[in-house]
Amino acid sequence: MGGAFAAGVAGNEIVNVRRGHHQGDPSELTINCPDKVGLGCDFARIVFEFGLSVVKGDFSTDGKWCFVVLWVVPRVRRPVQWSLLKRRIEEVCPSIETQFTPPLIPPVSSRKVLLLQVCSSDRTGLLNDVVQKLWELEFTIHKVKVSTSPDNKAINLFFVTDNQDTRDNRNKLPLKKRGEQVGDQLKDLLGSSFSYSDLSEASPEMADLSCAPLVHTVAKDLFADVISPTETENDRSRGGSHTSLGGEGTMVTIDNSISPVHSLLQVTCKSHKGLVYDCLRTLKDVNLQVAHGRVATLENGSTEINIFLLRTEGRKITDVEKQKLLCRCMHAEVQHPLRVVVVSRGPDTELLVATPIELCGRGRPRVLYDVTLALRELSICIFKADIGRHVVADRQWEIYRFLLIDRPDLSLTSSRIRSLIAERVQRILMG
């Protein structure tokens, strides 16, 4: 299970959800299905997307079949849609028929991109409401162009893919009917402030999801510190069997002395939204295979993740430089999985958020919703918004840009207020 959860238990493909008995009790997700490359990252991503955090987990694989048990708790205020969660997990589980010849899942860049135009009266929290509704309607948002007209009309352009297109769904609606469904849902959501919506296939130039160079000023604001990592005393090799990297409450180690077959990766850090996803996407992107693993919550509230892994050729990671590189990479990804900054653009104030894109082309879940939720809680309106894909230091990033509207009682030119905005956004994104 390359970069995935898994385990060898015979039986039919199945996903079970057992809700916690009392409020605050973890709910249990049990998954028993054939294995495939990247399956664990897919599971962790779905759990993250539904606003859940893994407080405990066990997973293993024999390379053909996987068994996963995750204990999860919600990190969001809205109710968890458990039936939809179950269905989403089932959709990524390989069937027994495709166990040995799994179907190719089209990359994000090859899927049909749609343009959804939504126009309504502007108000605080508008974008947050619309983003949540589109998620409930099973759209994935890839790019956004938002502007406000002089007559206070919000004109929102969403470049989306329809998740219904990724499965064999005989009840899938034609594009025109799907657009009518979306319009009806948005009208119910927005009421009298709703003007119109239109769903159409995006033109080739508008549907382009490839990465472009980033504007220099934005790159400087977000990535001034992006330089070649330098070694510290904690990062120096302690021999071919053990390498570690620590700092800022995060410890990452690789140990080859525990198992005769596998390298043991140990990650201990403060818990945050999507931590297990961050760990598994990192392993998936560097093409390492996961055999067994366990997630546990420690008494001090930190999370400990232990993963037995292999290189693709089925061997341990014995090269010291590769051990150090993996430790550096994992430390960076679990310690700082995103970047947030608020900057002045002359008289204007801009919020910038950057998150890494997986090698398969998927962006980080929930970012647009969480950022707009933070601004909503601060009663700050968005004048313009833009999401784009860019390359910085040979890596692909999703860059979110929000031009904010000043309020008479809240001057965004104040450094204190800008710090408050950045801290609130960071806190909601990280949980």
Side-chain angles (χ1 to χ4, degrees), residues 294-356:
R294 176 165 292 179
V295 180
T297 301
L298 305 179
E299 290 184 0
N300 64 1
S302 296
T303 298
E304 183 179 78
I305 302 174
N306 293 281
I307 298 176
F308 289 91
L309 48 81
L310 296 166
R311 288 153 41 200
T312 51
E313 60 270 28
R315 298 179 181 178
K316 291 184 177 184
I317 307 171
T318 55
D319 186 283
V320 175
E321 293 304 316
K322 290 181 178 179
Q323 288 181 5
K324 288 193 278 186
L325 179 61
L326 177 59
C327 283
R328 282 199 300 264
C329 182
M330 183 63 71
H331 187 277
E333 294 302 317
V334 300
Q335 183 69 36
H336 301 293
L338 48 86
R339 294 163 179 259
V340 178
V341 64
V342 179
V343 296
S344 294
R345 302 277 186 238
D348 300 320
T349 300
E350 187 174 36
L351 167 64
L352 304 172
V353 179
T355 61

Short mmCIF file of all heavy atoms in Angstrom, two decimals, residues 294-356:
data_model
loop_
_atom_site.label_atom_id
_atom_site.label_comp_id
_atom_site.label_asym_id
_atom_site.label_seq_id
_atom_site.Cartn_x
_atom_site.Cartn_y
_atom_site.Cartn_z
N ARG A 294 0.39 2.77 13.14
CA ARG A 294 -0.48 3.04 14.29
C ARG A 294 -0.44 4.53 14.60
O ARG A 294 0.60 5.17 14.54
CB ARG A 294 -0.03 2.23 15.50
CG ARG A 294 -0.81 2.51 16.78
CD ARG A 294 -0.57 1.45 17.83
NE ARG A 294 -1.14 0.17 17.41
CZ ARG A 294 -1.06 -0.95 18.13
NH1 ARG A 294 -0.41 -0.94 19.28
NH2 ARG A 294 -1.61 -2.06 17.69
N VAL A 295 -1.62 5.06 14.93
CA VAL A 295 -1.76 6.46 15.34
C VAL A 295 -2.29 6.47 16.77
O VAL A 295 -3.24 5.74 17.09
CB VAL A 295 -2.75 7.22 14.42
CG1 VAL A 295 -2.88 8.68 14.86
CG2 VAL A 295 -2.31 7.13 12.96
N ALA A 296 -1.69 7.27 17.63
CA ALA A 296 -2.13 7.34 19.03
C ALA A 296 -2.05 8.77 19.53
O ALA A 296 -1.20 9.55 19.09
CB ALA A 296 -1.26 6.43 19.91
N THR A 297 -2.97 9.11 20.44
CA THR A 297 -2.95 10.41 21.09
C THR A 297 -2.29 10.26 22.46
O THR A 297 -2.71 9.41 23.25
CB THR A 297 -4.38 10.96 21.27
OG1 THR A 297 -4.99 11.08 19.98
CG2 THR A 297 -4.35 12.33 21.93
N LEU A 298 -1.27 11.05 22.72
CA LEU A 298 -0.52 10.96 23.98
C LEU A 298 -1.22 11.76 25.07
O LEU A 298 -2.13 12.55 24.81
CB LEU A 298 0.90 11.48 23.76
CG LEU A 298 1.70 10.80 22.64
CD1 LEU A 298 3.08 11.42 22.53
CD2 LEU A 298 1.78 9.29 22.85
N GLU A 299 -0.78 11.54 26.31
CA GLU A 299 -1.41 12.20 27.46
C GLU A 299 -1.30 13.72 27.40
O GLU A 299 -2.16 14.44 27.88
CB GLU A 299 -0.79 11.68 28.77
CG GLU A 299 -1.16 10.24 29.11
CD GLU A 299 -0.60 9.81 30.45
OE1 GLU A 299 0.06 10.66 31.10
OE2 GLU A 299 -0.82 8.66 30.84
N ASN A 300 -0.23 14.22 26.79
CA ASN A 300 -0.05 15.68 26.70
C ASN A 300 -0.79 16.30 25.52
O ASN A 300 -0.66 17.49 25.24
CB ASN A 300 1.44 16.02 26.62
CG ASN A 300 2.10 15.48 25.35
OD1 ASN A 300 1.45 14.86 24.51
ND2 ASN A 300 3.39 15.72 25.21
N GLY A 301 -1.58 15.47 24.80
CA GLY A 301 -2.36 15.98 23.68
C GLY A 301 -1.67 15.88 22.33
O GLY A 301 -2.30 16.13 21.30
N SER A 302 -0.38 15.54 22.33
CA SER A 302 0.34 15.37 21.06
C SER A 302 -0.10 14.07 20.39
O SER A 302 -0.74 13.21 21.00
CB SER A 302 1.85 15.34 21.30
OG SER A 302 2.30 16.58 21.80
N THR A 303 0.25 13.94 19.12
CA THR A 303 -0.06 12.74 18.36
C THR A 303 1.24 12.01 18.01
O THR A 303 2.23 12.64 17.63
CB THR A 303 -0.81 13.09 17.06
OG1 THR A 303 -2.06 13.70 17.40
CG2 THR A 303 -1.09 11.84 16.23
N GLU A 304 1.21 10.69 18.15
CA GLU A 304 2.36 9.85 17.78
C GLU A 304 1.94 8.94 16.64
O GLU A 304 0.94 8.23 16.73
CB GLU A 304 2.83 9.03 18.98
CG GLU A 304 4.06 8.18 18.68
CD GLU A 304 4.52 7.40 19.89
OE1 GLU A 304 3.87 6.36 20.20
OE2 GLU A 304 5.48 7.82 20.55
N ILE A 305 2.71 8.96 15.57
CA ILE A 305 2.44 8.12 14.40
C ILE A 305 3.65 7.22 14.16
O ILE A 305 4.78 7.71 14.03
CB ILE A 305 2.16 8.98 13.16
CG1 ILE A 305 0.98 9.92 13.41
CG2 ILE A 305 1.89 8.10 11.95
CD1 ILE A 305 0.72 10.90 12.29
N ASN A 306 3.43 5.92 14.15
CA ASN A 306 4.48 4.93 13.88
C ASN A 306 4.12 4.19 12.60
O ASN A 306 3.04 3.59 12.51
CB ASN A 306 4.60 3.95 15.03
CG ASN A 306 5.11 4.60 16.30
OD1 ASN A 306 6.30 4.85 16.45
ND2 ASN A 306 4.20 4.90 17.22
N ILE A 307 5.03 4.21 11.63
CA ILE A 307 4.77 3.58 10.34
C ILE A 307 5.97 2.74 9.93
O ILE A 307 7.10 3.22 9.88
CB ILE A 307 4.48 4.64 9.26
CG1 ILE A 307 3.23 5.45 9.61
CG2 ILE A 307 4.30 3.98 7.90
CD1 ILE A 307 2.94 6.57 8.66
N PHE A 308 5.71 1.47 9.63
CA PHE A 308 6.73 0.59 9.07
C PHE A 308 6.63 0.70 7.55
O PHE A 308 5.57 0.42 6.96
CB PHE A 308 6.51 -0.84 9.52
CG PHE A 308 6.83 -1.06 10.98
CD1 PHE A 308 5.85 -0.91 11.94
CD2 PHE A 308 8.12 -1.41 11.37
CE1 PHE A 308 6.15 -1.10 13.29
CE2 PHE A 308 8.43 -1.60 12.71
CZ PHE A 308 7.44 -1.45 13.68
N LEU A 309 7.73 1.08 6.92
CA LEU A 309 7.67 1.35 5.49
C LEU A 309 8.86 0.75 4.74
O LEU A 309 9.85 0.32 5.34
CB LEU A 309 7.56 2.85 5.24
CG LEU A 309 8.53 3.80 5.96
CD1 LEU A 309 9.87 3.85 5.26
CD2 LEU A 309 7.92 5.19 6.04
N LEU A 310 8.71 0.75 3.41
CA LEU A 310 9.72 0.19 2.51
C LEU A 310 9.87 1.09 1.29
O LEU A 310 8.97 1.85 0.95
CB LEU A 310 9.29 -1.20 2.01
CG LEU A 310 9.15 -2.32 3.03
CD1 LEU A 310 8.40 -3.48 2.40
CD2 LEU A 310 10.52 -2.77 3.50
N ARG A 311 11.03 0.97 0.64
CA ARG A 311 11.17 1.56 -0.68
C ARG A 311 10.39 0.72 -1.68
O ARG A 311 9.96 -0.40 -1.38
CB ARG A 311 12.64 1.61 -1.07
CG ARG A 311 13.41 2.65 -0.28
CD ARG A 311 14.89 2.34 -0.13
NE ARG A 311 15.51 1.82 -1.33
CZ ARG A 311 16.65 1.15 -1.33
NH1 ARG A 311 17.28 0.91 -0.19
NH2 ARG A 311 17.17 0.70 -2.45
N THR A 312 10.17 1.25 -2.88
CA THR A 312 9.34 0.56 -3.87
C THR A 312 9.91 -0.80 -4.25
O THR A 312 9.16 -1.70 -4.62
CB THR A 312 9.20 1.41 -5.15
OG1 THR A 312 10.49 1.83 -5.59
CG2 THR A 312 8.33 2.63 -4.87
N GLU A 313 11.23 -0.97 -4.14
CA GLU A 313 11.83 -2.28 -4.46
C GLU A 313 11.77 -3.24 -3.29
O GLU A 313 12.33 -4.35 -3.37
CB GLU A 313 13.27 -2.11 -4.96
CG GLU A 313 14.21 -1.46 -3.96
CD GLU A 313 14.27 0.04 -4.07
OE1 GLU A 313 13.26 0.65 -4.49
OE2 GLU A 313 15.33 0.61 -3.76
N GLY A 314 11.08 -2.86 -2.21
CA GLY A 314 10.87 -3.78 -1.10
C GLY A 314 12.00 -3.84 -0.10
O GLY A 314 12.14 -4.83 0.63
N ARG A 315 12.80 -2.80 0.01
CA ARG A 315 13.93 -2.79 0.94
C ARG A 315 13.82 -1.62 1.92
O ARG A 315 13.09 -0.66 1.70
CB ARG A 315 15.25 -2.69 0.16
CG ARG A 315 15.49 -3.86 -0.78
CD ARG A 315 16.80 -3.67 -1.53
NE ARG A 315 17.05 -4.77 -2.45
CZ ARG A 315 18.10 -4.84 -3.26
NH1 ARG A 315 18.99 -3.84 -3.26
NH2 ARG A 315 18.25 -5.88 -4.06
N LYS A 316 14.62 -1.72 3.00
CA LYS A 316 14.68 -0.63 3.97
C LYS A 316 15.32 0.62 3.36
O LYS A 316 15.97 0.56 2.31
CB LYS A 316 15.55 -1.05 5.17
CG LYS A 316 14.97 -2.10 6.06
CD LYS A 316 15.93 -2.31 7.23
CE LYS A 316 15.39 -3.31 8.23
NZ LYS A 316 16.28 -3.44 9.41
N ILE A 317 15.16 1.72 4.08
CA ILE A 317 15.85 2.96 3.70
C ILE A 317 17.18 2.97 4.47
O ILE A 317 17.23 3.33 5.65
CB ILE A 317 15.02 4.20 4.06
CG1 ILE A 317 13.62 4.09 3.48
CG2 ILE A 317 15.70 5.47 3.57
CD1 ILE A 317 12.66 5.15 3.97
N THR A 318 18.25 2.56 3.82
CA THR A 318 19.54 2.47 4.49
C THR A 318 20.47 3.62 4.15
O THR A 318 21.42 3.89 4.88
CB THR A 318 20.24 1.14 4.13
OG1 THR A 318 20.34 1.04 2.70
CG2 THR A 318 19.44 -0.05 4.65
N ASP A 319 20.20 4.32 3.05
CA ASP A 319 21.04 5.44 2.65
C ASP A 319 20.86 6.59 3.63
O ASP A 319 19.74 7.09 3.84
CB ASP A 319 20.66 5.88 1.23
CG ASP A 319 21.59 6.95 0.70
OD1 ASP A 319 21.42 8.11 1.13
OD2 ASP A 319 22.46 6.64 -0.12
N VAL A 320 21.93 7.03 4.25
CA VAL A 320 21.87 8.07 5.29
C VAL A 320 21.32 9.37 4.73
O VAL A 320 20.50 10.04 5.38
CB VAL A 320 23.26 8.29 5.91
CG1 VAL A 320 23.23 9.46 6.89
CG2 VAL A 320 23.74 7.03 6.61
N GLU A 321 21.74 9.74 3.53
CA GLU A 321 21.26 11.00 2.95
C GLU A 321 19.77 10.94 2.67
O GLU A 321 19.05 11.94 2.87
CB GLU A 321 22.04 11.31 1.66
CG GLU A 321 23.51 11.63 1.88
CD GLU A 321 23.70 12.78 2.87
OE1 GLU A 321 22.95 13.79 2.75
OE2 GLU A 321 24.55 12.67 3.76
N LYS A 322 19.28 9.80 2.23
CA LYS A 322 17.84 9.65 1.99
C LYS A 322 17.06 9.67 3.31
O LYS A 322 15.94 10.18 3.38
CB LYS A 322 17.56 8.37 1.21
CG LYS A 322 18.04 8.42 -0.23
CD LYS A 322 17.72 7.14 -0.99
CE LYS A 322 18.19 7.25 -2.44
NZ LYS A 322 17.93 6.02 -3.21
N GLN A 323 17.64 9.10 4.36
CA GLN A 323 17.01 9.18 5.67
C GLN A 323 16.87 10.64 6.12
O GLN A 323 15.81 11.06 6.60
CB GLN A 323 17.83 8.40 6.70
CG GLN A 323 17.78 6.89 6.55
CD GLN A 323 18.59 6.19 7.62
OE1 GLN A 323 19.12 6.83 8.53
NE2 GLN A 323 18.70 4.88 7.52
N LYS A 324 17.96 11.38 5.98
CA LYS A 324 17.94 12.79 6.39
C LYS A 324 16.96 13.60 5.57
O LYS A 324 16.23 14.45 6.09
CB LYS A 324 19.35 13.38 6.30
CG LYS A 324 20.30 12.87 7.36
CD LYS A 324 21.57 13.70 7.42
CE LYS A 324 22.56 13.29 6.38
NZ LYS A 324 23.85 14.01 6.53
N LEU A 325 16.92 13.33 4.26
CA LEU A 325 16.00 14.04 3.38
C LEU A 325 14.55 13.76 3.77
O LEU A 325 13.72 14.69 3.84
CB LEU A 325 16.25 13.64 1.93
CG LEU A 325 15.34 14.30 0.89
CD1 LEU A 325 15.52 15.82 0.91
CD2 LEU A 325 15.63 13.74 -0.50
N LEU A 326 14.22 12.49 4.05
CA LEU A 326 12.86 12.15 4.45
C LEU A 326 12.50 12.81 5.79
O LEU A 326 11.40 13.33 5.95
CB LEU A 326 12.71 10.62 4.56
CG LEU A 326 11.34 10.14 5.05
CD1 LEU A 326 10.22 10.62 4.14
CD2 LEU A 326 11.33 8.60 5.16
N CYS A 327 13.43 12.81 6.73
CA CYS A 327 13.16 13.45 8.03
C CYS A 327 12.91 14.94 7.86
O CYS A 327 11.99 15.50 8.48
CB CYS A 327 14.33 13.21 8.99
SG CYS A 327 14.39 11.56 9.71
N ARG A 328 13.74 15.61 7.05
CA ARG A 328 13.54 17.04 6.81
C ARG A 328 12.19 17.31 6.16
O ARG A 328 11.46 18.21 6.56
CB ARG A 328 14.66 17.59 5.92
CG ARG A 328 15.98 17.85 6.62
CD ARG A 328 16.85 18.80 5.81
NE ARG A 328 17.16 18.26 4.50
CZ ARG A 328 18.28 17.60 4.20
NH1 ARG A 328 19.19 17.38 5.15
NH2 ARG A 328 18.50 17.17 2.99
N CYS A 329 11.88 16.51 5.15
CA CYS A 329 10.64 16.70 4.42
C CYS A 329 9.43 16.47 5.33
O CYS A 329 8.51 17.29 5.36
CB CYS A 329 10.61 15.74 3.23
SG CYS A 329 9.15 15.91 2.18
N MET A 330 9.45 15.37 6.08
CA MET A 330 8.31 15.06 6.95
C MET A 330 8.17 16.11 8.05
O MET A 330 7.05 16.53 8.39
CB MET A 330 8.50 13.67 7.56
CG MET A 330 7.34 13.20 8.43
SD MET A 330 5.79 13.02 7.50
CE MET A 330 6.17 11.57 6.51
N HIS A 331 9.29 16.54 8.63
CA HIS A 331 9.26 17.57 9.67
C HIS A 331 8.61 18.84 9.16
O HIS A 331 7.74 19.44 9.81
CB HIS A 331 10.67 17.84 10.18
CG HIS A 331 10.73 18.75 11.37
ND1 HIS A 331 10.69 20.12 11.24
CD2 HIS A 331 10.83 18.49 12.70
CE1 HIS A 331 10.76 20.67 12.45
NE2 HIS A 331 10.85 19.69 13.35
N ALA A 332 8.99 19.26 7.96
CA ALA A 332 8.44 20.48 7.38
C ALA A 332 6.95 20.35 7.09
O ALA A 332 6.17 21.27 7.35
CB ALA A 332 9.19 20.84 6.10
N GLU A 333 6.54 19.19 6.58
CA GLU A 333 5.15 19.01 6.17
C GLU A 333 4.19 18.90 7.34
O GLU A 333 3.05 19.35 7.25
CB GLU A 333 5.02 17.78 5.26
CG GLU A 333 5.73 17.91 3.93
CD GLU A 333 5.25 19.11 3.13
OE1 GLU A 333 4.03 19.35 3.07
OE2 GLU A 333 6.09 19.82 2.57
N VAL A 334 4.61 18.29 8.44
CA VAL A 334 3.70 18.17 9.58
C VAL A 334 3.80 19.39 10.51
O VAL A 334 2.84 19.69 11.23
CB VAL A 334 3.95 16.87 10.39
CG1 VAL A 334 3.76 15.66 9.50
CG2 VAL A 334 5.32 16.85 11.04
N GLN A 335 4.93 20.08 10.49
CA GLN A 335 5.09 21.25 11.35
C GLN A 335 4.47 22.49 10.72
O GLN A 335 3.80 23.28 11.40
CB GLN A 335 6.58 21.51 11.62
CG GLN A 335 6.85 22.67 12.56
CD GLN A 335 6.42 22.38 13.99
OE1 GLN A 335 6.55 21.25 14.44
NE2 GLN A 335 5.91 23.38 14.69
N HIS A 336 4.67 22.68 9.42
CA HIS A 336 4.16 23.87 8.72
C HIS A 336 3.55 23.45 7.39
O HIS A 336 4.15 23.67 6.33
CB HIS A 336 5.29 24.87 8.49
CG HIS A 336 5.96 25.35 9.74
ND1 HIS A 336 5.31 26.14 10.68
CD2 HIS A 336 7.20 25.14 10.22
CE1 HIS A 336 6.14 26.40 11.68
NE2 HIS A 336 7.29 25.81 11.43
N PRO A 337 2.35 22.85 7.41
CA PRO A 337 1.75 22.39 6.16
C PRO A 337 1.16 23.50 5.30
O PRO A 337 0.74 23.24 4.18
CB PRO A 337 0.65 21.43 6.64
CG PRO A 337 0.27 21.94 7.99
CD PRO A 337 1.55 22.48 8.59
N LEU A 338 1.14 24.73 5.80
CA LEU A 338 0.59 25.84 5.03
C LEU A 338 1.23 27.15 5.47
O LEU A 338 1.91 27.22 6.50
CB LEU A 338 -0.93 25.90 5.18
CG LEU A 338 -1.52 25.80 6.59
CD1 LEU A 338 -1.58 27.16 7.27
CD2 LEU A 338 -2.90 25.18 6.55
N ARG A 339 1.03 28.19 4.68
CA ARG A 339 1.60 29.52 4.96
C ARG A 339 0.48 30.56 4.92
O ARG A 339 -0.36 30.53 4.02
CB ARG A 339 2.67 29.88 3.93
CG ARG A 339 3.90 28.97 3.99
CD ARG A 339 4.74 29.07 2.73
NE ARG A 339 5.92 28.21 2.83
CZ ARG A 339 7.13 28.63 3.13
NH1 ARG A 339 7.35 29.93 3.33
NH2 ARG A 339 8.13 27.79 3.21
N VAL A 340 0.50 31.46 5.89
CA VAL A 340 -0.52 32.52 5.98
C VAL A 340 0.18 33.84 6.25
O VAL A 340 1.03 33.93 7.13
CB VAL A 340 -1.53 32.24 7.11
CG1 VAL A 340 -2.55 33.38 7.20
CG2 VAL A 340 -2.24 30.91 6.92
N VAL A 341 -0.18 34.88 5.49
CA VAL A 341 0.39 36.20 5.73
C VAL A 341 -0.63 37.25 5.30
O VAL A 341 -1.40 37.05 4.36
CB VAL A 341 1.73 36.38 4.97
CG1 VAL A 341 1.52 36.33 3.47
CG2 VAL A 341 2.41 37.67 5.37
N VAL A 342 -0.66 38.37 6.03
CA VAL A 342 -1.51 39.52 5.66
C VAL A 342 -0.58 40.68 5.36
O VAL A 342 0.26 41.04 6.19
CB VAL A 342 -2.48 39.89 6.80
CG1 VAL A 342 -3.33 41.09 6.40
CG2 VAL A 342 -3.38 38.70 7.14
N VAL A 343 -0.74 41.28 4.18
CA VAL A 343 0.18 42.33 3.74
C VAL A 343 -0.59 43.55 3.25
O VAL A 343 -1.79 43.47 2.93
CB VAL A 343 1.11 41.83 2.60
CG1 VAL A 343 1.99 40.70 3.09
CG2 VAL A 343 0.27 41.37 1.40
N SER A 344 0.09 44.68 3.21
CA SER A 344 -0.49 45.92 2.70
C SER A 344 -0.13 46.06 1.23
O SER A 344 1.02 45.81 0.82
CB SER A 344 0.03 47.13 3.48
OG SER A 344 -0.41 47.09 4.82
N ARG A 345 -1.11 46.46 0.43
CA ARG A 345 -0.89 46.79 -0.98
C ARG A 345 -1.31 48.25 -1.17
O ARG A 345 -2.41 48.55 -1.60
CB ARG A 345 -1.73 45.89 -1.88
CG ARG A 345 -1.45 44.41 -1.70
CD ARG A 345 -0.25 43.99 -2.52
NE ARG A 345 -0.06 42.55 -2.46
CZ ARG A 345 1.05 41.97 -2.03
NH1 ARG A 345 2.08 42.71 -1.61
NH2 ARG A 345 1.18 40.67 -2.03
N GLY A 346 -0.44 49.16 -0.76
CA GLY A 346 -0.81 50.57 -0.77
C GLY A 346 -1.91 50.80 0.25
O GLY A 346 -1.76 50.44 1.42
N PRO A 347 -3.06 51.31 -0.18
CA PRO A 347 -4.17 51.52 0.77
C PRO A 347 -4.96 50.25 1.06
O PRO A 347 -5.82 50.23 1.94
CB PRO A 347 -5.05 52.56 0.05
CG PRO A 347 -4.82 52.27 -1.40
CD PRO A 347 -3.38 51.86 -1.52
N ASP A 348 -4.69 49.17 0.31
CA ASP A 348 -5.46 47.93 0.43
C ASP A 348 -4.75 46.91 1.32
O ASP A 348 -3.54 47.00 1.56
CB ASP A 348 -5.72 47.32 -0.95
CG ASP A 348 -6.50 48.25 -1.86
OD1 ASP A 348 -7.43 48.91 -1.35
OD2 ASP A 348 -6.18 48.33 -3.06
N THR A 349 -5.52 45.93 1.78
CA THR A 349 -4.98 44.85 2.60
C THR A 349 -5.29 43.52 1.94
O THR A 349 -6.44 43.28 1.54
CB THR A 349 -5.61 44.88 4.01
OG1 THR A 349 -5.30 46.14 4.63
CG2 THR A 349 -5.05 43.75 4.87
N GLU A 350 -4.27 42.67 1.81
CA GLU A 350 -4.43 41.39 1.14
C GLU A 350 -4.04 40.25 2.07
O GLU A 350 -3.00 40.29 2.72
CB GLU A 350 -3.60 41.33 -0.14
CG GLU A 350 -3.86 40.09 -0.97
CD GLU A 350 -3.14 40.11 -2.32
OE1 GLU A 350 -2.01 40.64 -2.38
OE2 GLU A 350 -3.71 39.62 -3.30
N LEU A 351 -4.91 39.23 2.12
CA LEU A 351 -4.63 38.00 2.85
C LEU A 351 -4.14 36.96 1.86
O LEU A 351 -4.79 36.71 0.83
CB LEU A 351 -5.91 37.51 3.55
CG LEU A 351 -5.89 36.08 4.10
CD1 LEU A 351 -4.87 35.92 5.21
CD2 LEU A 351 -7.30 35.69 4.58
N LEU A 352 -3.00 36.35 2.16
CA LEU A 352 -2.40 35.33 1.29
C LEU A 352 -2.29 34.02 2.05
O LEU A 352 -1.85 33.99 3.20
CB LEU A 352 -1.01 35.76 0.83
CG LEU A 352 -0.89 37.11 0.11
CD1 LEU A 352 0.58 37.47 -0.09
CD2 LEU A 352 -1.61 37.06 -1.23
N VAL A 353 -2.69 32.94 1.40
CA VAL A 353 -2.56 31.60 1.98
C VAL A 353 -1.99 30.69 0.90
O VAL A 353 -2.44 30.70 -0.25
CB VAL A 353 -3.93 31.05 2.46
CG1 VAL A 353 -3.77 29.64 3.02
CG2 VAL A 353 -4.55 31.97 3.49
N ALA A 354 -0.98 29.89 1.27
CA ALA A 354 -0.35 28.96 0.34
C ALA A 354 -0.38 27.55 0.91
O ALA A 354 -0.06 27.36 2.09
CB ALA A 354 1.09 29.38 0.04
N THR A 355 -0.79 26.58 0.10
CA THR A 355 -0.81 25.18 0.51
C THR A 355 -0.22 24.32 -0.61
O THR A 355 -0.43 24.63 -1.79
CB THR A 355 -2.24 24.69 0.81
OG1 THR A 355 -3.06 24.82 -0.37
CG2 THR A 355 -2.87 25.51 1.94
N PRO A 356 0.51 23.27 -0.28
CA PRO A 356 1.13 22.43 -1.32
C PRO A 356 0.11 21.59 -2.07
O PRO A 356 -0.94 21.22 -1.53
CB PRO A 356 2.10 21.55 -0.53
CG PRO A 356 1.53 21.50 0.85
CD PRO A 356 0.86 22.82 1.08
#
